[in-house]
Coordinates of all heavy atoms in Angstrom, one line a residue:
V357 N -14.6 -10.7 3.4 CA -15.6 -11.7 3.6 C -15.0 -12.7 4.5 O -15.6 -13.9 4.7 CB -15.8 -12.4 2.2 CG1 -16.5 -11.5 1.2 CG2 -14.5 -13.0 1.5
I358 N -14.0 -12.4 5.2 CA -13.3 -13.3 6.2 C -14.3 -13.4 7.4 O -14.8 -12.5 8.0 CB -12.1 -12.7 6.7 CG1 -10.9 -12.9 5.6 CG2 -11.5 -13.6 7.8 CD1 -9.6 -12.4 5.9
H359 N -14.5 -14.7 7.8 CA -15.4 -14.9 9.0 C -14.6 -14.4 10.2 O -13.4 -14.6 10.3 CB -15.6 -16.4 9.2 CG -16.3 -17.1 8.0 ND1 -16.3 -18.3 7.6 CD2 -17.2 -16.5 7.1 CE1 -17.1 -18.7 6.6 NE2 -17.6 -17.4 6.2
P360 N -15.3 -13.8 11.1 CA -14.7 -13.4 12.4 C -13.9 -14.5 13.1 O -14.4 -15.7 13.2 CB -15.8 -12.8 13.3 CG -16.9 -12.5 12.2 CD -16.7 -13.5 11.1
P361 N -12.7 -14.2 13.5 CA -11.9 -15.3 14.1 C -12.4 -15.7 15.5 O -13.0 -14.9 16.2 CB -10.5 -14.5 14.1 CG -10.8 -13.2 14.3 CD -12.1 -12.9 13.5
D362 N -12.1 -16.8 15.9 CA -12.4 -17.2 17.2 C -11.5 -16.6 18.2 O -10.4 -16.1 17.9 CB -12.1 -18.7 17.4 CG -13.2 -19.6 16.5 OD1 -14.2 -19.1 16.3 OD2 -12.7 -20.8 16.1
V363 N -12.0 -16.3 19.4 CA -11.2 -15.7 20.4 C -10.0 -16.7 20.9 O -10.3 -17.7 21.1 CB -12.0 -15.4 21.7 CG1 -11.2 -14.8 22.9 CG2 -13.1 -14.4 21.3
V364 N -8.9 -16.0 20.9 CA -7.6 -16.8 21.3 C -7.1 -16.2 22.6 O -7.0 -15.0 22.7 CB -6.5 -16.6 20.2 CG1 -5.3 -17.3 20.7 CG2 -7.0 -17.3 18.9
E365 N -6.9 -17.1 23.5 CA -6.4 -16.6 24.9 C -4.9 -16.9 25.0 O -4.4 -17.8 24.5 CB -7.2 -17.5 26.0 CG -8.6 -17.1 26.2 CD -9.2 -17.8 27.5 OE1 -8.6 -18.9 27.8 OE2 -10.0 -17.2 28.0
H366 N -4.3 -16.1 25.8 CA -2.9 -16.1 26.2 C -2.7 -17.5 26.9 O -3.7 -18.0 27.6 CB -2.5 -15.0 27.2 CG -1.0 -14.9 27.4 ND1 -0.4 -15.6 28.2 CD2 0.0 -14.1 26.8 CE1 1.0 -15.3 28.2 NE2 1.1 -14.3 27.4
K367 N -1.6 -18.2 26.8 CA -1.2 -19.4 27.4 C -1.4 -19.4 28.9 O -1.7 -20.4 29.6 CB 0.1 -19.9 27.2 CG 1.3 -19.1 27.6 CD 2.5 -19.6 27.1 CE 3.6 -18.7 27.6 NZ 5.0 -19.3 27.2
L368 N -1.3 -18.1 29.5 CA -1.5 -18.0 30.9 C -2.8 -17.5 31.4 O -3.0 -17.2 32.6 CB -0.4 -16.9 31.6 CG 1.2 -17.4 31.2 CD1 2.0 -16.4 31.8 CD2 1.4 -18.8 32.0
A369 N -3.7 -17.5 30.5 CA -5.0 -16.9 30.7 C -5.7 -17.6 32.0 O -6.4 -17.0 32.9 CB -6.0 -16.9 29.5
E370 N -5.7 -19.0 32.0 CA -6.3 -19.7 33.0 C -5.6 -19.5 34.4 O -6.4 -19.2 35.3 CB -6.2 -21.2 32.8 CG -7.0 -22.1 33.7 CD -8.4 -21.7 33.7 OE1 -9.1 -21.4 32.6 OE2 -9.1 -21.8 34.8
A371 N -4.4 -19.2 34.5 CA -3.7 -18.9 35.7 C -4.2 -17.6 36.1 O -4.4 -17.3 37.5 CB -2.2 -19.1 35.6
W372 N -4.2 -16.6 35.2 CA -4.7 -15.3 35.6 C -6.2 -15.3 36.1 O -6.4 -14.5 37.0 CB -4.5 -14.4 34.3 CG -3.1 -14.0 34.0 CD1 -2.0 -14.3 34.7 CD2 -2.7 -13.6 32.6 NE1 -0.9 -13.9 33.9 CE2 -1.3 -13.6 32.7 CE3 -3.4 -13.3 31.5 CZ2 -0.5 -13.1 31.5 CZ3 -2.6 -13.0 30.4 CH2 -1.1 -12.9 30.4
R373 N -7.0 -16.0 35.4 CA -8.3 -16.0 35.8 C -8.5 -16.7 37.2 O -9.3 -16.0 38.0 CB -9.2 -17.0 34.8 CG -10.5 -17.0 35.0 CD -11.3 -17.3 33.7 NE -10.8 -18.3 32.9 CZ -10.3 -18.2 31.7 NH1 -10.2 -17.0 31.0 NH2 -9.7 -19.1 31.0
E374 N -7.8 -17.7 37.5 CA -7.8 -18.3 38.9 C -7.3 -17.4 40.0 O -8.0 -17.2 41.1 CB -7.0 -19.6 38.9 CG -7.6 -20.6 38.1 CD -6.8 -21.9 38.0 OE1 -5.6 -21.9 38.6 OE2 -7.1 -23.0 37.4
R375 N -6.3 -16.6 39.6 CA -5.7 -15.5 40.6 C -6.8 -14.5 40.8 O -7.0 -14.0 42.0 CB -4.5 -15.0 40.1 CG -3.8 -13.9 41.0 CD -2.5 -13.5 40.4 NE -1.8 -12.5 41.3 CZ -2.1 -11.3 41.3 NH1 -2.9 -10.6 40.4 NH2 -1.5 -10.5 42.1
S376 N -7.5 -14.0 39.7 CA -8.4 -13.1 39.8 C -9.6 -13.5 40.7 O -10.1 -12.7 41.6 CB -9.0 -12.6 38.5 OG -8.0 -12.1 37.6
E377 N -10.0 -14.7 40.5 CA -11.1 -15.3 41.4 C -10.7 -15.4 42.8 O -11.6 -15.1 43.6 CB -11.4 -16.7 40.7 CG -12.3 -16.7 39.3 CD -12.4 -18.0 38.8 OE1 -11.9 -19.0 39.4 OE2 -13.0 -18.1 37.7
R378 N -9.5 -15.7 43.1 CA -9.1 -15.8 44.5 C -9.1 -14.4 45.1 O -9.5 -14.2 46.2 CB -7.7 -16.4 44.5 CG -7.6 -17.9 44.3 CD -6.3 -18.6 44.7 NE -5.2 -17.9 44.1 CZ -4.6 -18.3 43.0 NH1 -5.1 -19.3 42.4 NH2 -3.6 -17.7 42.6
L379 N -8.5 -13.4 44.3 CA -8.5 -12.1 44.9 C -9.9 -11.5 45.1 O -10.2 -10.7 46.0 CB -7.7 -11.1 43.8 CG -6.3 -11.5 43.8 CD1 -5.5 -10.5 42.8 CD2 -5.6 -11.0 45.2

Side-chain angles (χ1 to χ4, degrees):
V357 294
I358 292 178
H359 298 155
D362 294 333
V363 173
V364 175
E365 290 190 328
H366 190 283
K367 63 181 180 180
L368 298 178
E370 185 60 33
W372 293 339
R373 187 156 41 244
E374 292 175 357
R375 181 174 182 273
S376 296
E377 292 172 353
R378 289 197 302 270
L379 290 173

